[in-house]
Amino acid sequence: CSSLEVSEELRQYLKTPTFDNWQWEDAEIMVLLQLMYTDLDLLSTFNIEPEVLQQFLFEVYRRYNNIPFHNFKHCFCVTQMMYGLIWLTDLRSKVENVDLLIMLTSAVCHDLDHAGYNNAYQINARTELALRYNDISPLENHHCAVAFEILISFRDSMSGSPGSTTFRFCFICRCILATDMTRHNEILNKFKSILHGFDFSNKEHKDLLMMVLIKVSDISNEARPMEVAEPWLDCLLQEFFNQSDVEKLEGLPVSPFMDRDKVTKPSSQIGFIRFVLLPLFVELANLFPCLEVIQ
Ligand SMILES: Nc1nc2c(ncn2[C@@H]2O[C@@H]3COP(=O)(O)O[C@H]3[C@H]2O)c(=O)[nH]1
Ligand SMILES: [Zn+2]
């Protein structure tokens, strides 16, 4: 593994939403992910050996593809934002440890084996994934399936956690499925409707909050410092343009937001931030007023 020296300063920095992913190699990122599980006391609580966690994360690492955006570094950023939000909102005092384990593991697994083409492409091109899942969130269903494959192979070595029956496997799936952006308004509206009178001991409320937290983390690049966010936009556009080029070649419908002839950086960000990111972040900040700072 990596010889990354974990100072107290790094431990604290890792808990902040200003963390810069671009400074670290993948081997170091692996250590940082382990640190998140350790510092949330998940290893001790669920009797997970550090080596087992390391192997699990390595399997995850292997199943992310080398593509511009939906790669292992994106997996890390989403997980790190989730981790940061857990600390910022003091979620440890509000939910059970198993919920934290689910949240972190869902984030780690949420884009497994993404090939760089979105659901619209899968459906229009009638890919194997679209056929397998009847056009219903083909990608997210696939990320779940791969996550299960990995988790099941660790069932015996993680007797107190991910593979076991005590671990609510299914909820990882619900969190990952919640990242399909076609369900954005549905989830946001449900969350809004329970905000007044939100109760952490109400399972329905807590589950919805967990889904909102993974969604927020998934689209949070623009909430990061400019020098962190900018390169991510280039990665995203590279993946978008690659898809639209292929769609043009194959005579498939092209989404305007992916078309290199129509998209500019400002135009793509202004609409996304105003109509997608902010409305979601604002509702989360309604529940946790301390979050105003990252808006
Ligand atoms: N335009 C824009 N879209 C984003 C940004 N971050 C995330 N997204 C979109 O939000 C989506 C979240 O789910 P996906 O990973 O499928 O694909 C992502 C992108 O389409 C961003 O910074 N700008
Ligand atoms: Zn993602």
Side-chain angles (χ1 to χ4, degrees), residues 5-215:
E5 192 146 329
V6 181
S7 62
E8 183 53 29
E9 200 185 348
L10 176 56
R11 281 193 132 89
Q12 295 311 322
Y13 178 41
L14 187 62
K15 295 175 184 171
T16 65
T18 54
F19 192 86
D20 179 2
N21 65 284
W22 299 113
Q23 297 177 24
W24 312 93
E25 306 285 336
D26 286 348
E28 294 170 325
I29 286 180
M30 209 78 102
V31 177
L32 296 172
L33 286 170
Q34 288 173 55
L35 196 58
M36 296 181 203
Y37 280 85
T38 314
D39 279 0
L40 287 174
D41 297 325
L42 298 176
L43 296 195
S44 48
T45 309
F46 297 101
N47 267 318
I48 306 170
E49 293 296 330
E51 295 73 31
V52 172
L53 176 66
Q54 204 176 316
Q55 286 160 17
F56 167 71
L57 292 172
F58 187 68
E59 279 309 305
V60 165
Y61 169 74
R62 289 202 320 126
R63 305 291 304 258
Y64 275 91
N65 296 315
N66 191 6
I67 55 176
F69 186 88
H70 291 98
N71 50 38
F72 181 66
K73 289 194 203 305
H74 168 68
C75 147
F76 169 76
C77 282
V78 175
T79 310
Q80 193 273 327
M81 184 57 75
M82 182 72 109
Y83 181 69
L85 287 170
I86 289 172
W87 288 104
L88 266 178
T89 60
D90 191 23
L91 213 56
R92 290 194 335 150
S93 68
K94 302 178 175 77
V95 303
E96 293 169 47
N97 272 329
V98 68
D99 298 318
L100 301 177
L101 180 65
I102 288 172
M103 289 166 62
L104 217 55
T105 309
S106 302
V108 163
C109 295
H110 89 283
D111 271 329
L112 277 166
D113 197 33
H114 198 302
Y117 299 88
N118 75 359
N119 281 332
Y121 177 87
Q122 305 291 335
I123 293 168
N124 292 329
R126 298 173 192 262
T127 62
E128 211 179 302
L129 287 187
L131 294 175
R132 183 178 307 153
Y133 297 112
N134 289 316
D135 293 353
I136 301 165
S137 306
L139 280 176
E140 291 73 18
N141 273 299
H142 181 60
H143 306 321
C144 284
V146 178
F148 274 54
E149 207 181 289
I150 298 175
L151 284 167
I152 283 169
S153 71
F154 282 89
R155 187 170 35 200
D156 299 331
S157 44
M158 295 200 196
S159 56
S161 67
S164 83
T165 45
T166 54
F167 189 73
R168 284 177 290 152
F169 241 177
C170 304
F171 200 67
I172 291 194
C173 198
R174 279 188 67 196
C175 287
I176 296 178
L177 290 174
T179 62
D180 181 347
M181 290 302 286
T182 58
R183 296 181 55 203
H184 181 75
N185 287 330
E186 169 216 330
I187 294 170
L188 178 58
N189 289 335
K190 262 193 208 153
F191 186 63
K192 276 188 196 166
S193 77
I194 59 156
L195 259 182
H196 186 72
F198 189 93
D199 176 4
F200 284 94
S201 62
N202 178 323
K203 182 163 179 332
E204 191 199 336
H205 291 192
K206 194 179 65 179
D207 287 358
L208 210 44
L209 172 62
M210 286 162 73
M211 289 157 74
V212 165
L213 284 168
I214 193 168
K215 280 178 58 54

